[in-house]
Amino acid sequence: MFQKLKQSLRDMMIGRYGQDQLGTVIFLLGLGFMILSMIFGRFLWSSVFSFLSWAALIWCIIRMFSRNIAARSKENKAFLNFVSRLRDKEHRYYRCPQCRQIVRVPRGRGKINIRCPRCNRKFIKKT
Ligand SMILES: [Zn+2]
């Protein structure tokens, strides 16, 4: 019985994306909002949080069952990039005003002249 259930679950997931780091974070956010909605049980906030928690959980499930694997892994990659930038205390990240390329510069150098490696545009930023 359980073997059969496991097998059919596996068949269902063939060709689908499954879980990743972004999915886990969305899922945890959903749980967090659910807890918040319980805490704020008697206030208007409760329905806001419960809506957010359902939205997060449904989003998480849609991503898991998505067949567009390339798009999902691109989302996850962008998310991981974002997290590593948040953790990076030694650099600052700026977007080139012309071509929108992200440029990484060392932190704590005061005002510096940044030259975009892609389009060579120069701009001044405080680091
Ligand atoms: Zn540029």
Side-chain angles (χ1 to χ4, degrees):
M1 168 65 188
F2 271 117
Q3 206 61 36
K4 225 175 168 182
L5 198 73
K6 232 173 164 180
Q7 184 59 43
S8 61
L9 201 69
R10 198 172 297 144
D11 289 346
M12 205 168 71
M13 290 308 287
I14 287 174
R16 303 195 190 254
Y17 184 63
Q19 188 61 306
D20 62 6
Q21 291 93 336
L22 177 58
T24 307
V25 170
I26 296 169
F27 178 73
L28 291 176
L29 271 176
L31 283 185
F33 284 130
M34 196 170 276
I35 291 166
L36 281 173
S37 84
M38 288 170 188
I39 294 171
F40 291 95
R42 285 169 47 197
F43 302 95
L44 182 66
W45 280 107
S46 167
S47 43
V48 175
F49 286 131
S50 103
F51 171 77
L52 286 173
S53 99
W54 280 109
L57 294 178
I58 289 166
W59 184 22
C60 180
I61 289 165
I62 289 172
R63 289 190 77 249
M64 265 173 84
F65 287 98
S66 168
R67 287 187 190 276
N68 193 347
I69 290 169
R72 295 294 85 76
S73 50
K74 205 174 148 197
E75 284 168 10
N76 193 49
K77 211 176 149 202
F79 168 71
L80 292 178
N81 261 335
F82 174 73
V83 171
S84 76
R85 256 186 261 157
L86 279 185
R87 284 189 178 159
D88 187 353
K89 300 278 178 245
E90 276 154 42
H91 299 94
R92 290 200 72 155
Y93 294 82
Y94 290 109
R95 210 178 267 280
C96 169
Q98 190 165 298
C99 68
R100 306 195 64 70
Q101 161 84 28
I102 289 174
V103 187
R104 191 181 77 167
V105 294
R107 224 177 242 267
R109 298 274 172 87
K111 266 191 182 169
I112 58 167
N113 234 320
I114 301 166
R115 189 176 55 81
C116 171
R118 192 155 96 187
C119 66
N120 278 331
R121 155 115 190 213
K122 286 184 179 138
F123 53 103
I124 296 169
K125 287 279 182 198
K126 209 172 158 253
T127 63

